[in-house]
Amino acid sequence: MGKTISFKRPDGKDVQGYLAEPANAGSAAAIVVIQEWWGLQDQIKGMCDRFALAGFDALAPDLYKGTVVPYHDTDAAGKEMNSLDFMDATTQTVRGAVQYLARNGAKVGLTGFCLG
């Protein structure tokens, strides 16, 4: 249902994320979906799709820049999470996702799973 997109952070850098939009896109309310510590995997993409079915634009920014950890590898997931610059992720990447979704005047909420 959704697709991978690029959007700008406030500092001008391009980042990727998964965007799902409702069938009647336009002035939908929007939600930023923060990934689990496994990365931007199918579970989070599926949550975005479910939010879109409920009428929301949903964008999950890729905080690990393409790295997705297998569910059974908790050591690798911990390593990815601990190497994440949380200040940069929140003030730049997540903020950029909010700005992207709010570009048409939509109200934007935020939800997270595990990491978020």
Side-chain angles (χ1 to χ4, degrees):
M1 174 180 230
K3 62 186 174 194
T4 299
I5 64 160
S6 290
F7 60 94
K8 296 272 187 204
R9 295 166 21 134
D11 63 9
K13 293 179 183 175
D14 287 319
V15 291
Q16 303 261 313
Y18 182 82
L19 175 67
E21 299 172 297
N24 57 349
S27 60
I31 189 159
V32 174
V33 180
I34 305 300
Q35 69 191 41
E36 296 175 314
W37 76 331
W38 310 109
L40 183 51
Q41 36 51 321
D42 290 340
Q43 169 66 17
I44 296 302
K45 291 176 182 179
M47 290 304 304
C48 288
D49 293 340
R50 289 174 63 186
F51 281 122
L53 287 172
F56 295 89
D57 287 334
L59 175 57
D62 187 353
L63 301 179
Y64 289 173
K65 301 174 184 152
T67 299
V68 176
V69 178
Y71 283 116
H72 67 278
D73 197 345
T74 56
D75 290 337
K79 181 180 174 189
E80 286 298 322
M81 183 186 70
N82 289 328
S83 67
L84 181 64
D85 180 343
F86 279 90
M87 186 61 72
D88 181 72
T90 55
T91 64
Q92 293 297 317
T93 305
V94 173
R95 184 184 229 171
V98 170
Q99 291 172 341
Y100 178 86
L101 291 170
R103 70 196 182 286
N104 294 327
K107 292 185 179 184
V108 180
L110 179 92
T111 192
F113 296 88
C114 183
L115 182 66

